């Protein structure tokens, strides 16, 4: 019995420190939601055009699995690494020009949904109003070669609180609000309850008791 308790405790401790990865696959873009740049004069940033062959994809990892009862909760501080792409730009942890602005989780009732917003500056820090950037908000649209008009700081890096993608050198996607699919991997296995079994001596004792009970029953019938 002690052996089973030790194994169960070890499994619980291991589950408490089990990293989890959440992978997103979005639908291909619709032509009606794409608005691409019309001109790219020198000095107007890194232009790029979205196509219907592109989609939002990527993943993020947390040190422990995300709680199962969250309702639009900010879990940005729990993310240990990430990598996403909108087909034009890769937003990856470790890139000094990338800022993970927020990850908001909803997991109540068996739902697995995350709202992820990232940006990548086209130039190194420090940043100021007028700098160009790319932005992605999963299932809510994105911008490429946009112009930031409100720069701020957060623990994740330089933020842009307001940006415009209406210039001829910018491309953007509408807020399509079409959710893709999230899949969790690396979750700890469900701990099963071990059922203790009788050892060799226990089986012999049980057999002896059964034989004894049988002889007692025979003795009663003879009386």
């Amino acid at each position: 019995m002690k052996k089973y308790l030790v194994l169960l405790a070890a499994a619980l401790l291991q589950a408490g420190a089990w990293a989890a990865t959440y992978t997103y696959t979005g639908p291909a873009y619709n032509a009606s939601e794409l608005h691409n740049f019309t001109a790219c004069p020198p000095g107007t940033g890194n232009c790029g055009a979205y196509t219907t062959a592109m989609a939002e994809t990527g993943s993020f990892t947390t040190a422990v699995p995300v709680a199962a009862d969250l309702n639009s909760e900010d879990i940005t501080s729990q993310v240990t690494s990430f990598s996403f792409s909108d087909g034009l730009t890769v937003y990856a942890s470790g890139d000094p020009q990338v800022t993970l602005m927020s990850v908001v989780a909803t997991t109540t009732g068996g739902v697995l949904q995350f709202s992820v917003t990232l940006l990548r500056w086209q130039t190194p820090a420090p940043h100021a109003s007028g700098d160009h950037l790319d932005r992605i908000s999963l299932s809510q649209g994105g911008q490429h070669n946009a112009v930031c008009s409100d720069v701020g700081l957060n623990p994740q890096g330089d933020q842009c609180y307001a940006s415009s993608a209406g210039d001829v050198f910018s491309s953007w996607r509408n807020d399509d609000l079409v959710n893709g699919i999230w899949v969790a991997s690396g979750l700890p296995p469900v701990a099963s309850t071990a059922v203790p079994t009788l050892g060799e001596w226990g089986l012999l004792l049980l057999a002896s008791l059964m034989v004894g009970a049988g002889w007692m029953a025979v003795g009663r019938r003879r009386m």
Side-chain angles (χ1 to χ4, degrees):
M1 175 65 75
K2 290 182 179 180
K3 179 178 71 175
Y4 295 115
L5 292 176
V6 170
L7 291 175
L8 181 57
L12 292 174
L13 287 173
Q14 190 177 21
W18 204 292
T21 298
Y22 300 88
T23 302
Y24 180 78
T25 304
Y29 303 147
N30 294 317
S32 60
E33 69 193 38
L34 305 182
H35 308 274
N36 288 317
F37 74 97
T38 57
C40 193
T44 56
N46 176 22
C47 303
Y50 296 107
T51 73
T52 55
M54 298 176 179
E56 297 171 336
T57 58
S59 65
F60 69 88
T61 299
T62 55
V64 296
V66 175
D69 58 351
L70 303 180
N71 186 11
S72 297
E73 298 288 340
D74 191 326
I75 62 165
T76 309
S77 62
Q78 299 180 34
V79 176
T80 57
S81 63
F82 60 87
S83 180
F84 288 90
S85 172
D86 61 4
L88 285 176
T89 304
V90 174
Y91 306 81
S93 52
D95 184 341
Q97 293 174 210
V98 171
T99 299
L100 175 61
M101 295 185 65
S102 66
V103 179
V104 178
T106 297
T107 57
T108 301
V111 173
L112 186 63
Q113 188 62 47
F114 302 97
S115 175
V116 181
T117 301
L118 305 106
L119 63 85
R120 186 181 190 279
W121 298 94
Q122 292 193 1
T123 54
H127 299 109
S129 296
D131 284 353
H132 290 223
L133 56 83
D134 306 328
R135 182 193 297 266
I136 181 175
S137 295
L138 294 189
S139 77
Q140 297 180 16
Q143 300 174 331
H144 187 83
N145 202 21
V147 178
C148 182
S149 58
D150 186 6
V151 179
L153 297 176
N154 78 352
Q156 308 296 329
D158 288 0
Q159 274 198 4
C160 177
Y161 295 106
S163 58
S164 171
D167 298 289
V168 296
F169 50 77
S170 301
S171 299
W172 73 95
R173 297 181 292 110
N174 290 341
D175 294 346
D176 50 32
L177 299 178
V178 177
N179 293 324
I181 299 174
W182 284 97
V183 176
S185 60
L187 299 179
V190 177
S192 58
T193 303
V195 179
T197 59
L198 292 174
E200 181 180 353
W201 287 104
L203 290 173
L204 291 174
L205 178 59
L206 178 61
S208 299
L209 291 174
M210 293 177 66
V211 171
W215 281 110
M216 290 178 63
V218 171
R220 291 194 188 97
R221 285 199 297 268
R222 288 179 177 177
M223 293 175 63

